[in-house]
Amino acid sequence: MKTVKKPARLDVDWTQDTWVPKISFARFAVPVPRLSPLPLSPVNHRCYSPPPTSLFSSRGARGFTLIEMLVVIAIIAILAGLLLPVLSKVKGKARVASARSDMQNLIGAIAAYEAEYSRPPASPQVEAEVNGTTKPDFTYGAGGVVNGYGYESDNRVIMNILLNRDAAPNDGFKRNPRKLVTYNARIAPGPGSHGVLTNGVINDPWGNPYIITIDMNEDNKCRDAYYSPQIGRDEIPGPVVIWSLGPDGKFTAPTANPPERKAENADNVLSWRE
């Protein structure tokens, strides 16, 4: 029996005005063989090395040893031992500079008051003490030191007048009726600190009251009760002298002839000396 071949069928699509045969490219595609990875040879295993890691990441992973920590602590301690004395010296110089600035500002404030009222900022008690006596100047002390008068006072008498505070001897503003404020006060945060306290006393940077002597007889010389033990001896030029007890907060009275400066006085900050 003779087999009759069926005619091949061609799929076509009509596009606009003609037939276009459909061609499937899948039948012409060439299969791509799948390749398996080659196994590493023993030589390849020996030659392979992991990528390098950071020194810091490795250190962070395993931490510091006790010896390394002790070495770091020792270095820090050595540096601190070298720096602390230097910082302390710098801080001491800054306090001395601050004390000198306070003194100059106080001298200027007293001069401004005298220019306004033609009299020094003193209480009636001080004026009565020095009037007609052989001790014409008055020292406002730090307490416990005798001026040689019947009346004693610290520097609050001056500060209440200069700051125009309604407190003795300026109660009722009778010593400063024009209410003139000649000193820009630094307020102290508490007792034993730098600045003006609530009671009116002005302290130095070490927390001790400033010693202030005013020339009451206007001869442009001050006889300080601490530094001038005898009349006419160690009189200090100027209408006002101010000094501080310094870092140690101590004072030893100098002898009369010649004046002996004790070790405790070596760190005193004096307005009339550099």
Side-chain angles (χ1 to χ4, degrees):
M1 181 176 178
K2 188 176 180 180
T3 304
V4 179
K5 294 183 179 181
K6 294 182 179 181
R9 181 178 177 179
L10 179 63
D11 294 332
V12 295
D13 286 329
W14 176 260
T15 60
Q16 294 183 355
D17 56 355
T18 184
W19 294 98
V20 178
K22 291 183 178 180
I23 299 177
S24 174
F25 292 94
R27 54 188 289 185
F28 299 102
V30 179
V32 179
R34 298 182 61 184
L35 301 178
S36 59
L38 296 176
L40 295 175
S41 65
V43 175
N44 290 337
H45 280 292
R46 286 194 301 268
C47 295
Y48 174 78
S49 61
T53 57
S54 171
L55 174 62
F56 297 101
S57 62
S58 175
R59 174 69 66 187
R62 69 180 182 86
F64 291 94
T65 65
L66 178 60
I67 295 178
E68 290 171 335
M69 293 180 66
L70 291 176
V71 170
V72 172
I73 293 173
I75 293 174
I76 294 175
I78 292 173
L79 292 176
L82 294 174
L83 292 177
L84 285 178
V86 176
L87 294 176
S88 178
K89 189 174 181 180
V90 171
K91 186 177 180 180
K93 289 184 176 181
R95 286 186 173 182
V96 170
S98 179
R100 293 196 179 279
S101 177
D102 287 346
M103 293 175 184
Q104 293 304 315
N105 291 335
L106 282 170
I107 292 173
I110 293 171
Y113 178 89
E114 291 184 352
E116 183 71 20
Y117 292 103
S118 299
R119 67 169 183 258
S123 66
Q125 294 90 334
V126 170
E127 292 176 348
E129 287 283 354
V130 302
N131 186 23
T133 67
T134 58
K135 299 177 180 179
D137 302 330
F138 191 87
T139 299
Y140 297 85
V145 177
V146 178
N147 281 316
Y149 299 100
Y151 174 76
E152 302 290 330
S153 178
D154 52 30
N155 61 43
R156 79 183 70 189
V157 171
I158 298 177
M159 298 310 299
N160 286 340
I161 298 173
L162 298 181
L163 298 174
N164 191 40
R165 300 176 77 239
D166 188 7
N170 193 43
D171 43 328
F173 308 105
K174 57 189 177 186
R175 304 301 291 182
N176 191 358
R178 299 170 192 168
K179 298 183 179 181
L180 180 67
V181 177
T182 60
Y183 185 76
N184 186 16
R186 170 195 177 103
I187 305 302
S193 56
H194 183 202
V196 178
L197 302 177
T198 55
N199 62 2
V201 173
I202 181 169
N203 285 343
D204 63 16
W206 300 275
N208 300 308
Y210 283 109
I211 314 299
I212 303 175
T213 297
I214 293 183
D215 171 27
M216 297 296 295
N217 67 344
E218 299 181 354
D219 64 351
N220 203 36
K221 292 186 295 183
C222 289
R223 182 187 175 275
D224 184 82
Y226 296 73
Y227 275 92
S228 305
Q230 289 184 352
I231 300 172
R233 187 178 299 278
D234 276 357
E235 287 187 327
I236 304 165
V240 182
V241 297
I242 307 174
W243 57 280
S244 162
L245 295 171
D248 64 0
K250 297 179 181 179
F251 175 82
T252 299
T255 57
N257 189 16
E260 180 184 2
R261 306 310 180 205
K262 303 294 185 179
E264 290 181 349
N265 300 345
D267 64 343
N268 294 350
V269 184
L270 314 177
S271 67
W272 63 94
R273 291 181 186 172
E274 292 296 329

